[in-house]
Amino acid sequence: MADTTTMIAADGTPLKRSLARALRRQKLRALGLIAPLLLFVLITFIVPIASMLFRSVENDIVANTLPYTVEALADWDATGTDLPPAPVYEAMFYDMFLAAEAKRHTRLGTRLNYETTGMSSLFRQSGRNMDDVADISYEPLEDLDDAWDEGETWYALFNSRGVSDTTLLADQRIRVARLSGNEAGADINFAPDAEVSALLPLAAREYTAWAVFVATQDNRDPAERDPWESVAPALVTDLRAADLSGYAGPAADMLRTAQRANLPIPDFAQEFGAMDEDWASLEPWQTIQTHSGTYTPGYFLNAIDAQKTPEGVAWQPEEKQILLTLFGRTIWMSLLITFSCIALGYPIAWLLANLPMRQANVLLILVLLPFWTSLLVRTSAWKVMLQQQGVINDVLVWIGLVADDGRLIMINNQFGTIVAMTHILLPFMILPMYSVMQTIPPSYLRAAKSLGATNWTAFWRVYFPQSVPGIGAGSILVFILSIGYYITPEIVGGTKGVFISNRIAFHISSSLNWGLAAALGTILLAAVLVLYWAYDKIVGIDNVKLG
Amino acid sequence: MKLTKTLLATTALTLASGTAFADGHMASDMTLVSWGGAYQNSQQKAYVEPYLEMNDGVTAVWDESSAEAVAKLRAMNEAGSVTWDVVDVVAADAIRLCDEGLALEIDPDEDLAAAPDGTSASDDFGDLLVSDCFIPQIVYSTTFGYRTDLVGDTPPTEVCAVFDTETYPGKRSLEKRPINNMEWALLCDGVAKDDVYDVLATDEGQQQALDKLATIKDDVIWWSAGADTPQLLADGEVIMGSTYNGRLFAAIEEQDQPIGMLWDAQVFDLDGWIIPTGLSPEREARARDFIKFATDTQRLADQAKYISYGPARASSAPLVGQHATLGIDMAPHMPTDPDNAQNTFLYNYEFWADYRDDIDAKFQAWLAQ
């Protein structure tokens, strides 16, 4: 049975398989032909856009800059009225110290300032004060024995004498790499000693972080440098609990002396509170905890005038709500512009398609002429035309239609934006319409009329339906172009005629809130795709013709 | 993202390896970033041309991107390829760049020239060294100009005339951002000068400022480019408007427009250089060499021949002479001239670094209402 149904090709393989192989080869060849273009588009277009859009959810800066604080804060109840416990302040000190040395604390401050006003200066000022806090332990330690002031003492104490703590080293490499954004994998001429890191865990951690930082970021040998002051409070803290009785390594006597001296540890909570009273309030901690995730919906919430709070999602205060209004306005005005382009463009396209060749060419040049003029020049020309002391108002006053003190306001509002953008986008509407209308045979209209149709019926029932694909193509072009327009609304839009793209530009170049800009851009892109899908459902994308 | 980084890094390497060195350890090409227009021209004439004459084989190209300097430097830094050597920015941007580690820290006494009388650079610049990375060049101010032929017989003498639409009917132009406008609104709503930022730090104070601005909202044309106000004044579109004092000077003295200066409550701000981080040692050495020359006493005084911005060094002030082509004394046109600086307002960098995002959102929402 099988034998009779399977067709065999000349070389003995089943025909089906040999056809599939031939087709596959064809497909691969086609792919090979478009490969340069595909790669070009991928590298210069898709990848940058994707990486920009990714910023709208990316939020690893908080956990990368304050890893131990985020961990310590995890169990704290942000909706309560209690300040975070002491370990949080301690973790914050060590995180902030390293971040300040790496100059990364201010970046985090800027990021959190988008959520809570005042975080920027809070972080900037606190970063400057970290040395003073560390000195509370460092200076008494140094007074006790000058050797603590020497880098060699610390290096000898922590550097491996056989068994090294590889987990600690790997962890600190990751910590520094995440904080600085640079790879920290090179050889650093240091490995923490396993015995000492078990005995003095906090000090070993901070010393290792310092060593990794100095070696990988500053390209210096940790053996020849003095560690940051932050190792002192860490050491003193460790000594409170450490059992030194079995320890015989380097600096054993110095450690015992220091342990007996019972040196002061900074009261981190109090020091932070003294630095800035905000640290003694709930708000900064709530902000840090709420926005500590690696990925955040926060930017998207901001993009629709909402925000993430410890209690969940909430609307922004009413006086700050603007973006939804702008989205609505952008879409509404783009539709208006599209319709005015259809209304103005249709008769012109019809004329172009039906005039004798010579006149049609002159007209076509008139349509194309603005195309060859710079966008800025065209927009500025509208300014000259429309402003209150401008050409149109002057003419109206001169012929007495309006009084000199009642000149029309036609610019720096929605009207100005719609007029200027309709003019600028008109060719994008006329050209697809024209190319479709050219293909409609005039004999159809004549046939309709000879069968008794009036002019109007002939146009509406015969001609117009055939020109719809041109209108569709033009509308999609004009609408998608205008929804992302930026320069023209900026120049002639005033306050009520600006689009969402003006806000995106502001966040990209001025407020530097790239996450919010990316979220706004993503929403705009999604809106275009949804409208495109809706258009496909209603009109059918197959009906769109560009020629 | 990795891929783009690698690509950009390779491009940068190829470009860097093509650079020739003029003298051993200094790069011979510089990319200077500034604002374009008359201001950039004053820099070109006052120190770039003399510097290039002194250093044979060195070339300089301009990039007019200072308005987006922070965003672009951040992007360059992320891509690992910084193509700018010296960047002209306003002080607020310099603070931000310094904060983010995108600008080099400068030691004024080591990296900058001392005054001719031996005063150290840090004393000569004084309080104007507002950031560790910032090398001040000029003091400029944002202030008001008015149409002398449209204000009647009593030209305005104080800033609150902007809010007085009865005495001075007509449109005004204000910048389309909260900075400066909020301060002026509070000043004219009876808040004492020293309390302005304390009031503005509260929700009620921000509302108070917006309410005051609301009284003239229908009469305001909002500008976003420095050239807008001089243009609007020249066209007679507005009766008065805020802009940078150098723009008004150009409209009044160079273009003979019927415009008067209203120096009252002018807001001082600073503009200067920063050197980006992430430069090769050769390029960094060239940038430092240029900066040292370009910000010495004589050079800063020379710049005032071309534009009416005050030199940032105390020792340059006595050397300010006449305009290079008009031949008029420049001193009376400086924002820092005692006659002009009778009532000035100092921009608070720290405050705006914190409140910029918050107040801007409110301001834009208010504008859109």
Side-chain angles (χ1 to χ4, degrees):
Chain A
M1 195 60 179
D3 283 350
T4 51
T5 50
T6 312
M7 299 239 266
I8 304 291
D11 60 353
T13 51
L15 188 62
K16 225 177 186 171
R17 204 191 304 161
S18 114
L19 180 70
R21 191 187 301 151
L23 282 180
R24 188 171 344 118
R25 209 177 300 134
Q26 234 172 24
K27 271 184 199 154
L28 278 178
R29 197 183 308 146
L31 199 66
L33 278 174
I34 65 153
L37 177 65
L38 189 69
L39 274 177
F40 179 76
V41 169
L42 213 64
I43 292 169
T44 61
F45 192 62
I46 308 282
V47 173
I49 285 186
S51 83
M52 194 66 210
L53 295 186
F54 180 62
R55 287 175 189 273
S56 60
V57 290
E58 191 182 33
N59 190 46
D60 50 8
I61 181 168
V62 184
N64 284 348
T65 315
L66 308 173
Y68 297 109
T69 312
V70 166
E71 207 181 302
L73 258 182
D75 299 328
W76 175 65
D77 176 18
T79 56
T81 52
D82 293 336
L83 283 175
V88 172
Y89 284 95
E90 187 189 10
M92 178 56 116
F93 166 74
Y94 292 110
D95 283 338
M96 181 80 94
F97 197 102
L98 182 62
E101 292 292 343
K103 284 200 144 204
R104 280 299 195 270
H105 63 303
T106 43
R107 285 194 193 191
L108 180 61
T110 311
R111 192 266 168 265
L112 293 175
N113 204 63
Y114 298 137
E115 313 292 344
T116 306
T117 299
M119 293 298 267
S120 174
S121 67
L122 182 65
F123 271 71
R124 190 178 329 115
Q125 282 161 8
S126 305
R128 285 193 206 124
N129 290 324
M130 286 298 118
D131 285 349
D132 297 341
V133 179
D135 280 343
I136 293 174
S137 294
Y138 189 78
E139 278 170 3
L141 187 69
E142 193 191 7
D143 291 344
L144 204 63
D145 193 333
D146 280 346
W148 287 118
D149 206 15
E150 308 287 328
E152 299 97 69
T153 316
W154 295 89
Y155 187 76
L157 173 61
F158 288 108
N159 196 23
S160 172
R161 291 174 291 281
V163 189
S164 59
D165 188 343
T166 48
T167 334
L168 178 65
L169 182 59
D171 284 352
Q172 295 310 310
R173 276 183 191 276
I174 293 171
R175 178 183 174 192
V176 171
R178 285 195 179 145
L179 176 72
S180 61
N182 298 327
E183 290 298 319
D187 180 47
I188 63 165
N189 187 29
F190 170 79
D193 188 69
E195 186 196 359
V196 176
S197 86
L199 202 61
L200 308 168
L202 191 58
R205 185 188 89 187
E206 289 311 305
Y207 187 86
T208 309
W210 166 80
V212 171
F213 187 89
V214 168
T216 59
Q217 308 301 315
D218 299 345
N219 293 319
R220 303 290 168 96
D221 185 355
E224 291 166 6
R225 313 286 300 178
D226 300 341
W228 295 323
E229 292 87 340
S230 61
V231 292
L235 180 71
V236 176
T237 309
D238 283 335
L239 285 176
R240 291 276 164 99
D243 176 14
L244 292 173
S245 53
Y247 178 71
D253 290 338
M254 285 170 68
L255 285 174
R256 290 203 180 87
T257 319
Q259 191 175 38
R260 273 196 301 277
N262 201 18
L263 297 171
I265 306 173
D267 180 342
F268 294 112
Q270 199 194 323
E271 292 299 328
F272 270 89
M275 226 178 273
D276 193 312
E277 57 191 11
D278 281 357
W279 288 120
S281 70
L282 294 172
E283 213 179 16
W285 301 106
Q286 287 170 337
T287 309
I288 293 170
Q289 196 196 43
T290 311
H291 298 280
S292 60
T294 315
Y295 297 101
T296 179
Y299 292 121
F300 276 101
L301 291 173
N302 286 350
I304 55 164
D305 290 333
Q307 59 184 337
K308 214 173 144 194
T309 66
E311 287 86 18
V313 176
W315 291 109
Q316 297 266 22
E318 202 167 330
E319 70 267 22
K320 285 172 76 175
Q321 293 186 11
I322 176 174
L323 296 171
L324 280 183
T325 322
L326 279 181
F327 271 119
R329 183 196 288 164
T330 305
I331 289 178
W332 165 240
M333 286 177 63
S334 297
L335 283 174
L336 271 181
I337 290 162
T338 311
F339 281 116
S340 38
C341 278
I342 296 175
L344 290 176
Y346 198 89
I348 299 173
W350 188 84
L351 263 182
L352 274 173
N354 290 286
L355 277 179
M357 190 59 105
R358 188 184 299 177
Q359 281 109 314
N361 277 344
V362 175
L363 196 56
L364 193 63
I365 286 176
L366 287 180
V367 169
L368 286 175
L369 206 59
F371 239 4
W372 302 332
T373 322
S374 145
L375 178 70
L376 270 174
V377 173
R378 274 183 285 167
T379 310
S380 305
W382 277 111
K383 237 171 139 172
V384 177
M385 295 288 285
L386 295 176
Q387 64 185 5
Q388 281 193 291
Q389 307 293 327
V391 178
I392 293 179
N393 264 314
D394 280 350
V395 170
L396 288 178
V397 169
W398 182 64
I399 53 178
L401 267 179
V402 293
D404 199 11
D405 53 358
R407 286 168 177 255
L408 304 177
I409 300 171
M410 294 182 290
I411 201 167
N412 297 321
N413 53 19
Q414 301 196 351
F415 181 80
T417 305
I418 291 172
V419 168
M421 282 182 62
T422 302
H423 169 243
I424 286 163
L425 294 172
L426 204 50
F428 292 96
M429 184 64 86
I430 294 176
L431 294 177
M433 279 186 184
Y434 164 62
S435 62
V436 168
M437 285 179 186
Q438 256 192 332
T439 62
I440 303 173
S443 54
Y444 288 8
L445 268 186
R446 286 201 293 271
K449 281 185 200 162
S450 72
L451 289 170
T454 60
N455 276 346
W456 170 250
T457 318
F459 166 76
W460 185 245
R461 301 284 297 279
V462 176
Y463 192 86
F464 182 77
Q466 296 185 79
S467 66
V468 163
I471 299 178
S475 302
I476 287 192
L477 265 179
V478 169
F479 182 78
I480 291 180
L481 279 174
S482 62
I483 210 171
Y485 239 60
Y486 154 67
I487 296 217
T488 307
E490 181 71 33
I491 295 178
V492 300
T495 58
K496 297 198 171 65
V498 292
F499 284 10
I500 194 72
S501 31
N502 298 86
R503 232 27 221 160
I504 297 180
F506 169 79
H507 285 300
I508 287 278
S509 64
S510 186
S511 84
L512 297 191
N513 191 348
W514 289 0
L516 179 55
L520 290 171
T522 311
I523 293 177
L524 201 56
L525 184 62
V528 170
L529 291 178
V530 165
L531 286 167
Y532 183 81
W533 173 82
Y535 182 89
D536 185 31
K537 284 283 153 196
I538 299 165
V539 185
I541 210 70
D542 298 341
N543 282 328
V544 169
K545 278 201 199 106
L546 286 166
Chain B
M1 223 148 71
K2 273 260 163 60
L3 182 62
T4 29
K5 265 188 192 169
T6 327
L7 277 175
L8 285 169
T10 359
T11 328
L13 278 178
T14 335
L15 285 176
S17 60
T19 324
F21 300 128
D23 55 11
H25 54 277
M26 280 199 225
S28 60
D29 304 318
M30 282 193 298
T31 303
L32 312 173
V33 184
S34 187
W35 303 87
Y39 180 62
Q40 183 176 307
N41 190 43
S42 74
Q43 296 176 313
Q44 170 80 9
K45 291 272 194 301
Y47 24 82
V48 177
E49 280 173 10
Y51 183 81
L52 297 184
E53 260 171 46
M54 279 166 44
N55 294 274
D56 234 6
V58 177
T59 57
V61 287
W62 288 100
D63 186 339
E64 299 176 6
S65 297
S66 282
E68 300 99 40
V70 186
K72 289 198 172 175
L73 271 175
R74 202 202 248 186
M76 285 184 192
N77 193 273
E78 282 188 16
S81 154
V82 179
T83 55
W84 292 348
D85 296 282
V86 187
V87 187
D88 186 291
V89 288
V90 292
D93 284 346
I95 293 173
R96 197 139 53 139
L97 288 165
C98 208
D99 275 354
E100 298 207 9
L102 297 172
L104 277 186
E105 284 188 14
I106 299 288
D107 178 357
D109 292 334
E110 190 146 312
D111 297 324
L112 305 177
D117 63 2
T119 313
S120 70
S122 51
D123 288 339
D124 207 10
F125 283 109
D127 294 339
L128 304 189
L129 292 162
V130 292
S131 153
D132 295 337
C133 306
F134 183 60
I135 307 137
Q137 282 173 82
I138 53 127
V139 179
Y140 71 95
S141 81
T142 309
T143 190
F144 282 90
Y146 59 87
R147 277 287 291 237
T148 46
D149 53 341
L150 297 178
V151 290
D153 302 329
T154 51
T157 51
E158 53 180 41
V159 71
C160 296
V162 174
F163 294 91
D164 181 1
T165 46
E166 269 180 29
T167 321
Y168 304 104
K171 297 255 180 195
R172 295 95 164 84
S173 64
L174 293 174
E175 191 172 4
K176 206 198 277 185
R177 62 173 197 174
I179 296 172
N180 296 349
N181 294 331
M182 301 290 267
E183 288 100 318
W184 283 323
L186 285 182
L187 280 176
C188 292
D189 205 30
V191 176
K193 200 152 80 168
D194 294 337
D195 299 336
V196 163
Y197 286 108
D198 292 335
V199 173
L200 208 49
T202 63
D203 284 342
E204 299 77 47
Q206 292 159 15
Q207 198 54 49
Q208 186 188 349
L210 290 178
D211 288 345
K212 181 69 181 176
L213 285 169
T215 60
I216 55 166
K217 195 176 178 184
D218 292 339
D219 296 305
V220 174
I221 294 176
W222 301 93
W223 60 267
S224 44
D228 287 348
T229 291
Q231 172 75 50
L232 291 166
L233 282 169
D235 287 355
E237 280 288 296
V238 297
I239 180 171
M240 57 180 80
S242 68
T243 189
Y244 314 122
N245 70 293
R247 301 272 188 176
L248 289 170
F249 171 82
I252 297 168
E253 299 295 341
E254 291 169 15
Q255 292 152 24
D256 273 335
Q257 298 288 344
I259 298 173
M261 295 288 292
L262 177 56
W263 289 105
D264 185 51
Q266 54 164 324
V267 183
F268 278 155
D269 201 346
L270 304 171
D271 196 276
W273 299 112
I274 60 106
I275 303 175
T277 51
L279 297 181
S280 66
E282 294 81 16
R283 286 173 58 197
E284 191 185 314
R286 174 62 69 197
R288 283 178 187 275
D289 190 60
F290 171 72
I291 291 278
K292 190 166 191 168
F293 172 80
T295 58
D296 72 13
T297 302
Q298 187 57 49
R299 250 40 67 182
L300 288 186
D302 286 349
Q303 192 177 3
K305 282 186 203 163
Y306 304 95
I307 199 150
S308 63
Y309 293 132
R313 277 178 184 263
S315 61
S316 298
L319 303 178
V320 169
Q322 294 184 329
H323 190 278
T325 50
L326 298 176
I328 51 173
D329 277 335
M330 289 302 281
H333 296 282
M334 293 292 164
T336 43
D337 187 74
D339 276 347
N340 301 332
Q342 284 170 8
N343 181 25
T344 64
F345 195 83
L346 201 64
Y347 175 86
N348 185 331
Y349 303 105
E350 195 93 324
F351 175 86
W352 280 110
D354 277 346
Y355 286 87
R356 183 175 38 216
D357 303 320
D358 190 43
I359 296 184
D360 190 77
K362 286 182 184 171
F363 183 77
Q364 299 296 341
W366 171 82
L367 274 186
Q369 274 163 22

